[in-house]
Amino acid sequence: MIDLTAAVLPADPNVHAAYVRALERLPANLPGHGYEPEGLEELREAVAQGYRRRGLATSPGQILITHGAHNGLVHLLRLTVRPGVPVVFDHPTYPQAIDAILAAGGRPTPVALPDDGDGWDVDSLVSACRSSGAPMAYLVLDHNNPTGRMMRAPDRARLLAGLKGSETLLVLDETLVELTLSGPPALTASAVDAPRVVRLGSMSKSVWGGLRIGWIRADRAVIQRLAQSRASFDLGVPILEQLAAVKLLTDGGAALAARRPLLRARRDHLRAQLAQHLPDWSCPRPAGGLSLWVRLPAPISSALTAQAETEGLRLAAGPRFGVDGAFEQRLRLPYTLPESELQQAVERLAHGVKALGRKSRQTTSTQSRTVLVY
């Protein structure tokens, strides 16, 4: 079985080395009780340094360490959202974010990404936030999951200007911000800030999903409220993982720099295989991220996902990335697996498409005979 449901990379040797170093440093932390509601000071400083390199003046007091970005979003929803209130988000989006909004009792309020371009409808986002009085907007502006597109700096400025004075907390999920594949990372494009902007970060996509380390960057007052409220939900992040994260965040970016060429090659290989085996599929070349957002020739995403399972291929259907049954003509295909597995995946996918077509023709033939009898 080839699994294309998760857009994540396996760990590289740097992860093991970081854990070895963390174990060496663990004894210095053992005399304490081990509870760090905001996270280890040195890890918060390492995260803050990353933001300062991007042009965002940040102190450790503006950082809260979490169990990944999803955990950070859950904390923010618990603090901000009450049952029935709208939460605005770009559509399509990260599926677990929609799940988290629903679990918090929020009312999902999608704003569609333009289908014929690579940007955002900034005016509609601002209008949705202001007209609905949404207490939160959750946006993935840096290599949107699943489309891979990135909002331009002028549009970010327009977005902040449009929301100035509103009560909407703008939550930006930046888990993919460093995974730019076309040229150097455009981190300066995201260096636009305001008091009601909160940023979520994580090491799950850029380093390893098993390293459950994420963070929230926000105003100090928000961080203090989150640190107080989290005690009823979780008691902090394990110390060993935080020590490993410090090592990985202070390596000068060497590990991530080595991964970008690998991802670029796999992205291009997957697109080439799709062009060869499924030429009627539209596969835009994303500037970054971990997946292709493919347009199918017909609204068959859910049916194809079910058929692919019988071919030994697990897929995430397009509707999983939206609400109200949207995106039946879309499919997210990660390019995180080795090229040989990606090739096998496309071959199985093409076989599944043919099998689905045969089933459709047989159904049509049966219905035609039924009409003739009656």
Side-chain angles (χ1 to χ4, degrees), residues 48 127 166 178 230:
S127 176
S166 78
E178 293 189 295
R230 82 178 301 174

Side-chain angles (χ1 to χ4, degrees), residues 12-27:
D12 67 10
N14 292 285
V15 175
H16 184 209
Y19 270 93
V20 171
R21 177 60 177 150
L23 280 169
E24 293 171 352
R25 301 187 57 216
L26 183 60

Side-chain angles (χ1 to χ4, degrees), residues 193-217:
D193 211 11
R196 291 193 63 77
V197 173
V198 176
R199 297 171 187 273
L200 299 174
S202 173
M203 303 182 76
S204 297
K205 300 295 188 181
S206 56
V207 179
W208 183 43
L211 182 66
R212 302 306 305 150
I213 293 291
W215 53 84
I216 301 171
R217 179 200 181 272

Side-chain angles (χ1 to χ4, degrees), residues 22 43 63 113 134 148 163 198 206 255 301:
L43 178 54
I63 304 297
L113 291 174
L163 293 177
V198 176
S206 56
S301 187

Side-chain angles (χ1 to χ4, degrees), residues 124-196:
S124 292
L125 282 173
V126 171
S127 176
C129 291
R130 287 194 170 276
S131 63
S132 67
M136 179 188 291
Y138 168 84
L139 304 178
V140 188
L141 305 184
D142 299 282
H143 310 309
N144 166 269
N145 182 2
T147 68
R149 66 180 68 180
M150 187 170 185
M151 182 180 278
R152 301 179 183 89
D155 286 340
R156 294 171 195 259
R158 281 206 305 129
L159 178 63
L160 290 185
L163 293 177
K164 187 175 182 179
S166 78
E167 293 301 313
T168 302
L169 189 71
L170 184 57
V171 178
L172 304 180
D173 188 334
E174 298 183 332
T175 58
L176 297 166
V177 66
E178 293 189 295
L179 291 176
T180 300
L181 303 181
S182 300
L187 297 177
T188 54
S190 60
V192 181
D193 211 11
R196 291 193 63 77

Side-chain angles (χ1 to χ4, degrees), residues 29-373:
N29 293 270
L30 294 179
H33 52 62
Y35 291 109
E36 297 285 348
E38 296 181 17
L40 285 176
E41 174 78 15
E42 60 181 313
L43 178 54
R44 289 187 288 127
E45 170 57 25
V47 173
Q49 283 181 359
Y51 284 110
R52 293 197 292 270
R53 285 194 295 269
R54 290 165 53 183
L56 293 167
T58 305
S59 69
Q62 291 178 265
I63 304 297
L64 180 79
I65 303 302
T66 63
H67 296 272
H70 179 266
N71 179 246
L73 174 60
V74 170
H75 281 305
L76 287 164
L77 287 166
R78 292 176 73 245
L79 190 68
T80 308
V81 172
R82 298 294 175 265
V85 302
V87 178
V88 173
F89 59 92
D90 39 13
H91 198 224
T93 194
Y94 175 54
Q96 278 72 29
I98 299 174
D99 294 343
I101 292 168
L102 291 169
R107 175 162 50 87
T109 305
V111 176
L113 291 174
D115 206 32
D116 56 350
D118 60 356
W120 273 254
D121 187 343
V122 175
D123 293 336
S124 292
L125 282 173
V126 171
S127 176
C129 291
R130 287 194 170 276
S131 63
S132 67
M136 179 188 291
Y138 168 84
L139 304 178
V140 188
L141 305 184
D142 299 282
H143 310 309
N144 166 269
N145 182 2
T147 68
R149 66 180 68 180
M150 187 170 185
M151 182 180 278
R152 301 179 183 89
D155 286 340
R156 294 171 195 259
R158 281 206 305 129
L159 178 63
L160 290 185
L163 293 177
K164 187 175 182 179
S166 78
E167 293 301 313
T168 302
L169 189 71
L170 184 57
V171 178
L172 304 180
D173 188 334
E174 298 183 332
T175 58
L176 297 166
V177 66
E178 293 189 295
L179 291 176
T180 300
L181 303 181
S182 300
L187 297 177
T188 54
S190 60
V192 181
D193 211 11
R196 291 193 63 77
V197 173
V198 176
R199 297 171 187 273
L200 299 174
S202 173
M203 303 182 76
S204 297
K205 300 295 188 181
S206 56
V207 179
W208 183 43
L211 182 66
R212 302 306 305 150
I213 293 291
W215 53 84
I216 301 171
R217 179 200 181 272
D219 182 79
R220 284 175 178 266
V222 175
I223 294 297
Q224 290 171 359
R225 289 172 61 199
L226 286 166
Q228 292 169 0
S229 69
R230 82 178 301 174
S232 64
F233 190 73
D234 71 59
L235 297 178
V237 179
I239 298 298
L240 184 64
E241 274 64 27
Q242 294 191 65
L243 292 172
V246 172
K247 172 64 176 173
L248 289 161
L249 286 174
T250 56
D251 73 345
L256 192 55
R259 291 198 146 195
R260 291 193 190 101
L262 177 72
L263 283 171
R264 190 178 300 118
R266 291 180 179 180
R267 176 197 62 186
D268 295 344
H269 179 75
L270 178 57
R271 293 184 72 243
Q273 289 297 311
L274 289 167
Q276 177 183 342
H277 294 278
L278 295 159
D280 55 343
W281 288 21
S282 175
C283 307
R285 185 172 182 264
L290 297 171
S291 59
L292 303 179
W293 186 234
V294 178
R295 180 190 289 278
L296 308 177
I300 58 171
S301 187
S302 295
L304 180 56
T305 297
Q307 177 63 38
E309 190 83 16
T310 69
E311 308 288 342
L313 180 64
R314 289 199 179 102
L315 301 172
R320 184 70 183 93
F321 299 86
V323 295
D324 300 327
F327 309 121
E328 269 295 355
Q329 205 165 340
R330 293 284 189 170
L331 191 64
R332 188 190 74 166
L333 297 176
Y335 41 79
T336 51
L337 295 178
E339 292 182 13
S340 60
E341 291 188 50
L342 291 176
Q343 182 170 339
Q344 290 181 50
V346 173
E347 291 170 357
R348 296 181 189 186
L349 192 55
H351 193 272
V353 169
K354 292 178 181 177
L356 192 62
R358 287 194 298 269
K359 287 182 179 179
S360 177
R361 288 191 294 273
Q362 289 170 358
T363 300
T364 302
S365 176
T366 300
Q367 289 174 343
S368 299
R369 289 196 298 271
T370 302
V371 170
L372 288 173
V373 169

